[in-house]
Amino acid sequence: MVKLILGNKGSGKTKRLIEMCNEATEKSKGNVVLIEKNNQLSYNITYKTRLVAADDYDIQGFDAFYGFISGMCASNYDITDIFIVSTLKIAGQDFDKLADFIGKLDTLSEKSNTNIVLTVSADKSALPESVAKYSID
């Protein structure tokens, strides 16, 4: 299942995602991964969560980011949850490409039985309906 935490900068998206990540880590019988642009959140998440800095892997664009995430799922069947902070900063600002990316992640999530939660710095009304439907309030 894919879920989006939407809102403009400073609206509390990252704080909410960190809370969800730490809760998932405590409940998970597998592995939980948090992907962020760089290593700023290392002191905010529990040590049991695998923290990945996207900048370390030179991810450029939504296709590369999807390949990165699907590679994680393919190489580790024990991943139960993936949390992604600042999706647009990592992959780009194109909302049409974001819509395709979210659709692919939804399919991957079902196939790999992995929950995926992303933060997107945008107002729900600015996004295509195909993306906005994944929003959690």
Side-chain angles (χ1 to χ4, degrees):
M1 173 188 312
V2 172
K3 296 178 183 175
L4 299 177
I5 301 173
L6 303 175
N8 294 315
K9 185 174 179 170
S11 62
K13 297 179 303 297
T14 301
K15 181 179 178 183
R16 184 171 181 195
L17 184 124
I18 289 168
E19 291 170 357
M20 292 173 71
C21 179
N22 286 334
E23 183 178 322
T25 301
E26 292 304 314
K27 293 180 179 179
S28 177
K29 297 198 185 311
N31 298 313
V32 176
V33 177
L34 185 136
I35 303 171
E36 63 173 325
K37 184 154 176 58
N38 47 39
N39 276 325
Q40 291 182 333
L41 300 178
S42 58
Y43 296 108
N44 300 95
I45 60 169
T46 177
Y47 71 93
K48 296 176 186 176
T49 301
R50 172 71 167 107
L51 180 63
V52 178
D55 282 350
D56 291 348
Y57 299 94
D58 198 29
I59 296 168
Q60 305 217 353
F62 285 102
D63 289 337
F65 198 20
Y66 174 75
F68 184 76
I69 294 168
S70 62
M72 281 184 170
C73 292
S75 67
N76 185 346
Y77 294 112
D78 291 334
I79 294 177
T80 59
D81 300 90
I82 297 174
F83 294 88
I84 304 169
V85 179
S86 302
T87 304
L88 299 178
K89 285 184 181 177
I90 296 170
Q93 299 289 324
D94 188 323
F95 288 158
D96 291 330
K97 289 182 180 179
L98 174 65
D100 292 339
F101 175 69
I102 298 296
K104 289 179 185 178
L105 284 183
D106 193 37
T107 301
L108 175 65
S109 173
E110 290 176 24
K111 287 182 179 179
S112 63
N113 198 27
T114 303
N115 298 311
I116 302 174
V117 180
L118 307 91
T119 64
V120 175
S121 291
D123 191 65
K124 187 174 182 176
S125 63
L127 297 171
E129 180 56 37
S130 61
V131 174
K133 70 180 183 180
Y134 293 101
S135 172
I136 55 176
D137 296 322

